[in-house]
Amino acid sequence: RDRNVPELVRALQQPVTEYSFNIDGLYAALGLCANELYDHIDFCQWLRQHPPVDSPMSVSKWRIAWLIGKWVPVKFPTDERPHAYVALLEYARPGEPLVLRMEAIASLLCCIDDWDFDATQFKPYLQLSIERITEMLGSVSQADLRMRMVNYLSAIVSRMQRDIVPFAESIVRLIPLLWQSAAGENLYQTAVLSLVTKLVVALGAHSAALQPFVAPLVQHSIDLDDPAHVYLIVDGIDLWLALIRNASTMDPNLMALLRHIPRLLQGSTETLKSVLKVVEGYALLCGADMMRSYGPMLLSALHELVADTNMHVRAIAAGYTTLNVIVQSVQAELVGPALVESNTMWTPFTRIVDKKEAAMLLVHHAGFLSRVAVHCPQLFMEFLMAQDAQLTRTFAEHWVEIYDDVGQVPQRRLHSLGLAVAIATTSDGVLKMLPLMVPIWNDVLSNTGSSQLYFSDRDDDDDDDEYSEIVVPESERRRKLLSNDPAHKYDLKKAVSEGLAECERLNGVERFHAIIAQVSAVDLEDLKSQLS
């Protein structure tokens, strides 16, 4: 290195009047050894002093374009980038050899993918860049080259985000032709799906106009009867999720895609989380319409998921998260009949009665029933009263015991709210658990007396993902759902007081006092103090 670097730098400083194999070799060394030379040569200054010279097939220009791509990630000051954009876009114009245009656009992508890329600085060159790539798509016919151009366009859309909006129409016009030319080329089709996904994310709420146009692409990608779904399903679901998250209205074609959910939930666990997020997105956006058209079908599919004893605990937890979102988002009169028809409450009820599963799973079963009790109290009580007395007693006993395994504060509050609903009954099996319910209410009231104290507008079940730093319409819908969550919003003191008052009304004063007498005097005095 000590011997070669000075010699190479000296040779590179010589003026070039005619392109030759020796010069091309020097330029190749300059690119390949960029990591060794950046302390010894100012590449940007060298570039200005060594413009391309005449050469067959524009080899000199090709090498300069290639050099820019090699040096951008190594050492290319931000204030010098516009000179690179101008040169590369000039090399990519129609009329230049195809190989030069390809290399110029590839080096342009290196600039865009670089850590120091400045979207604001690139904005004046955005329209011309899109035009150059569009022109290249019209100049090449091979699927791999067209796919490469689509990937370049995806990178530009992804980095420019909202700045792409004025040029979205020109990109959208390309999609049908690209999709048609990609027929039978699965990898090429995934590139097109990725481009459309990035375009939807970049457009945000403006992407609603794309729904009728994009829904057939999703339909083709998630069709499990089509062998191509093996290659397309992941990108297709990502596109579907992006559409739902950025939607403010619902197109009928997009709504019709829900019929695929049951089979998708039975498919690969690789896509399970995204499919569940799609269902949650529909519930948040148009839960009532979803339940009217597909409610029993969707809840039956989700019920099969959470009832599958071979499923991993995290998958079951994710299924319950989706069920909770549906119960929270849809009115009780709509979600209630679907819960009954799909028999969704039976599985968590029997699992709690049997109490043979791990504590973590039992917590999720109990959490869902607590959610139903709080949001659909009449339905929950009717379900409970319809069960065998011994089953109800065992369920109530185990339900109370599970509280000790509940860790998060909002879930502990929800659990206690569910118990407050359940106490408004004449069932001996439930009422005999009152001595164990009172300490739970005391514990939650003493630690979280203020209903808003532990409120957070972030969904703890929603892991960080590619949308975490992008504000989409669904973000506001989720924030609103969390802010209205009874676990945060409901006054537990009022809920317990009303539950006990209704219990007294249903059972009569004499029986109610006999039930209360079973509670520890210390616990009862503590509860009276908490409720006062």
Side-chain angles (χ1 to χ4, degrees):
R1 184 183 294 106
D2 292 339
R3 176 178 297 179
N4 289 333
V5 167
E7 289 296 323
L8 183 57
V9 171
R10 183 189 60 77
L12 286 167
Q13 299 301 341
Q14 301 301 318
V16 177
T17 57
E18 183 179 2
Y19 205 76
S20 65
F21 287 119
N22 287 341
I23 297 300
D24 190 66
L26 279 173
Y27 285 11
L30 177 59
L32 295 173
C33 301
N35 285 302
E36 308 293 341
L37 295 174
Y38 68 88
D39 279 336
H40 304 277
I41 191 169
D42 184 339
F43 176 72
C44 293
Q45 182 181 355
W46 179 91
L47 197 61
R48 286 191 293 268
Q49 295 173 350
H50 294 76
V53 296
D54 290 336
S55 59
M57 294 297 294
S58 299
V59 174
S60 175
K61 292 180 181 179
W62 177 89
R63 184 60 77 181
I64 294 296
W66 177 84
L67 277 171
I68 292 174
K70 293 295 183 182
W71 273 85
V72 161
V74 176
K75 186 177 182 181
F76 207 112
T78 304
D79 58 346
E80 296 280 357
R81 298 291 174 92
H83 300 297
Y85 301 148
V86 171
L88 293 173
L89 291 171
E90 177 65 20
Y91 295 162
R93 62 184 173 83
E96 294 288 357
L98 192 61
V99 65
L100 171 59
R101 296 167 64 191
M102 290 287 295
E103 190 61 46
I105 294 175
S107 291
L108 186 65
L109 179 68
C110 292
C111 298
I112 293 169
D113 271 346
D114 187 57
W115 178 266
D116 293 325
F117 175 74
D118 184 346
T120 303
Q121 187 186 57
F122 184 73
K123 192 173 179 180
Y125 310 96
L126 177 57
Q127 182 176 2
L128 187 56
S129 299
I130 295 173
E131 291 175 0
R132 291 289 185 258
I133 294 176
T134 303
E135 291 161 355
M136 276 297 302
L137 284 167
S139 301
V140 297
S141 56
Q142 297 94 331
D144 59 333
L145 295 181
R146 294 177 68 85
M147 182 176 69
R148 195 183 306 175
M149 291 298 107
V150 171
N151 288 333
Y152 293 165
L153 194 55
S154 292
I156 291 177
V157 172
S158 180
R159 295 306 297 265
M160 297 306 294
Q161 288 299 316
R162 297 292 187 260
D163 289 329
I164 207 72
V165 173
F167 314 104
E169 186 176 350
S170 61
I171 298 176
V172 169
R173 284 199 298 266
L174 294 172
I175 305 301
L177 297 175
L178 292 174
W179 188 254
Q180 184 179 0
S181 67
E185 299 286 347
N186 297 318
L187 294 179
Y188 185 6
Q189 286 184 324
T190 61
V192 176
L193 290 173
S194 179
L195 169 61
V196 180
T197 302
K198 288 180 170 61
L199 186 60
V200 168
V201 173
L203 291 176
H206 299 289
S207 65
L210 299 181
Q211 290 181 11
F213 164 73
V214 175
L217 302 186
V218 178
Q219 156 74 28
H220 175 75
S221 305
I222 63 175
D223 184 359
L224 299 182
D225 294 325
D226 188 334
H229 83 272
V230 175
Y231 305 94
L232 305 179
I233 190 168
V234 173
D235 293 281
I237 292 174
D238 286 344
L239 173 55
W240 192 5
L241 183 56
L243 280 171
I244 297 301
R245 281 179 152 165
N246 288 278
S248 52
T249 58
M250 179 60 61
D251 181 81
N253 294 318
L254 200 57
M255 179 66 81
L257 293 176
L258 278 171
R259 68 182 184 274
H260 294 280
I261 291 295
R263 291 188 66 189
L264 290 172
L265 289 177
Q266 296 171 1
S268 170
T269 54
E270 180 184 1
T271 59
L272 179 61
K273 180 180 176 181
S274 296
V275 173
L276 291 173
K277 290 298 180 184
V278 166
V279 178
E280 292 175 25
Y282 276 94
L284 292 166
L285 177 62
C286 53
D289 292 337
M290 180 186 77
M291 292 306 297
R292 291 189 188 99
S293 302
Y294 301 98
M297 178 195 73
L298 290 174
L299 290 185
S300 294
L302 290 167
H303 174 223
E304 289 181 16
L305 172 65
V306 299
D308 189 348
T309 55
N310 295 320
M311 193 65 69
H312 192 279
V313 62
R314 292 185 64 183
I316 294 175
Y320 271 128
T321 297
T322 302
L323 283 168
N324 284 330
V325 171
I326 293 174
V327 172
Q328 283 182 266
S329 304
V330 184
Q331 302 94 319
E333 56 270 21
L334 286 176
V335 74
L339 286 170
V340 172
E341 185 176 341
S342 62
N343 216 20
T344 305
M345 291 187 290
W346 178 248
T347 291
F349 176 82
T350 55
R351 299 292 169 80
I352 291 174
V353 169
D354 295 338
K355 206 179 180 183
K356 294 179 180 178
E357 294 181 324
M360 185 181 299
L361 273 175
L362 292 173
V363 166
H364 291 299
H365 295 317
F368 173 66
L369 288 181
S370 298
R371 177 70 66 186
V372 174
V374 172
H375 288 270
C376 311
Q378 183 178 349
L379 173 70
F380 178 77
M381 295 309 297
E382 289 174 356
F383 171 80
L384 212 56
M385 296 301 292
Q387 308 307 319
D388 178 80
Q390 182 58 43
L391 284 180
T392 303
R393 177 171 183 170
T394 306
F395 165 76
E397 179 182 348
H398 292 171
W399 189 21
V400 169
E401 291 173 355
I402 288 170
Y403 173 80
D404 290 332
D405 295 316
V406 180
Q408 295 180 326
V409 172
Q411 277 64 47
R412 292 171 78 87
R413 287 184 57 84
L414 184 65
H415 200 102
S416 61
L417 284 167
L419 295 176
V421 171
I423 200 61
T425 182
T426 59
S427 169
D428 288 337
V430 176
L431 294 175
K432 286 181 179 180
M433 290 297 106
L434 184 60
L436 297 178
M437 292 182 186
V438 171
I440 292 176
W441 292 329
N442 288 336
D443 177 60
V444 176
L445 285 169
S446 62
N447 291 313
T448 66
S450 172
S451 59
Q452 292 290 340
L453 182 61
Y454 289 90
F455 170 69
S456 168
D457 62 0
R458 184 184 181 278
D459 189 351
D460 293 328
D461 294 317
D462 195 15
D463 297 333
D464 291 335
D465 54 34
E466 63 179 304
Y467 298 96
S468 59
E469 296 181 359
I470 301 174
V471 178
V472 296
E474 186 176 297
S475 300
E476 177 59 24
R477 293 194 286 269
R478 284 192 179 272
R479 192 206 64 78
K480 185 176 180 181
L481 184 76
L482 287 168
S483 66
N484 291 324
D485 189 342
H488 306 300
K489 188 176 181 181
Y490 280 15
D491 187 341
L492 182 57
K493 292 182 182 181
K494 183 179 179 182
V496 172
S497 298
E498 290 178 350
L500 291 173
E502 181 65 12
C503 179
E504 183 178 10
R505 187 189 71 79
L506 292 172
N507 293 278
V509 176
E510 184 176 346
R511 188 186 183 203
F512 178 73
H513 283 296
I515 296 168
I516 288 292
Q518 303 300 316
V519 181
S520 161
V522 175
D523 290 335
L524 189 60
E525 188 63 31
D526 190 9
L527 181 62
K528 289 179 180 179
S529 174
Q530 296 279 6
L531 298 180
S532 61

